[in-house]
Amino acid sequence: MLCLLLWGVSIPAAAQERAFSVVLPEMQYSHHCSSEIELHNTSPRFVDVDVIGRKSTGAIVGLRDRKTNRLRLSPGERVPLRLEVQNEIAWAQIVETVPHPRLQPVLAISGFTECLNGNERLSEPREIASPSSNPHFSLDPASVSGRTGTVLLIINASAAHVSWSACYSAGTEVSNGKGEMTA
């Protein structure tokens, strides 16, 4: 009987991968509003992505016209997506799998909500704040001048508890995180 023993060191591929996650906030879906997410692979390699859509209640939703929330984008490919939501405000967590420690995330993510207001079509971009351990966010006063209802949506996409605070001026009302408004 011949027995051959091969000895080698194997590093699992998953040990080298890492996930890069971003959140696309507050997308509206109704009779008058629709929202779209666009993913663009800016690299010459394939990119694996999970799009986890959630209703405002936190319930997970699928992607319209797709059987799975996992996608593989070809080099340079652009993919428009819509969440399977009706009469609801939703948000999406986009998780890019970066296959090697030396590689960087390459996915360009954008979103917008369009609403019909009478005969006028209003389009509102949905901006992404990348996750960080101590995020800071500010709005240019000129960008919100004369607008009402500007919302800063804070979503904790991690399993850990977070706390937050807000600074404001000019009498703006800010939620204190406990369902109360403060001035």
Side-chain angles (χ1 to χ4, degrees):
M1 172 181 229
L2 177 63
C3 182
L4 180 61
L5 177 63
L6 296 176
W7 184 268
V9 177
S10 175
I11 299 173
Q16 297 178 349
E17 291 180 348
R18 70 182 192 280
F20 183 77
S21 177
V22 296
V23 172
L24 194 57
E26 196 182 355
M27 295 177 290
Q28 297 176 12
Y29 294 87
S30 69
H31 289 67
H32 302 289
C33 297
S34 66
S35 296
E36 187 171 284
I37 302 166
E38 183 178 271
L39 306 179
H40 177 208
N41 179 357
T42 63
S43 78
R45 63 178 167 86
F46 285 89
V47 175
D48 292 322
V49 183
D50 289 306
V51 179
I52 305 157
R54 293 190 183 268
K55 292 182 179 183
S56 59
T57 61
I60 294 176
V61 297
L63 296 173
R64 187 174 294 166
D65 301 324
R66 295 198 177 259
K67 294 180 182 178
T68 179
N69 69 336
R70 178 164 279 243
L71 300 116
R72 174 166 261 202
L73 277 65
S74 301
E77 184 177 6
R78 288 180 188 263
V79 176
L81 302 168
R82 293 183 188 265
L83 298 178
E84 191 64 57
V85 177
Q86 294 178 6
N87 298 320
E88 183 89 39
I89 294 177
W91 56 278
Q93 180 179 10
I94 294 102
V95 182
E96 177 181 349
T97 301
V98 181
H100 192 275
R102 291 185 185 163
L103 295 175
Q104 297 299 316
V106 295
L107 199 60
I109 304 164
S110 62
F112 66 89
T113 293
E114 283 188 344
C115 294
L116 195 57
N117 184 11
N119 291 332
E120 186 178 8
R121 181 174 295 231
L122 306 172
S123 184
E124 191 69 33
R126 294 298 179 234
E127 298 181 30
I128 296 174
S130 297
S132 69
S133 59
N134 191 12
H136 290 83
F137 179 80
S138 64
L139 289 172
D140 176 10
S143 71
V144 293
S145 178
R147 293 173 65 187
T148 59
T150 300
V151 174
L152 172 62
L153 182 63
I154 300 170
I155 299 171
N156 178 13
S158 74
H161 176 76
V162 298
S163 61
W164 64 274
S165 63
C167 298
Y168 58 92
S169 63
T172 302
E173 289 187 341
V174 176
S175 171
N176 66 3
K178 298 178 183 174
E180 301 167 357
M181 298 301 289
T182 61

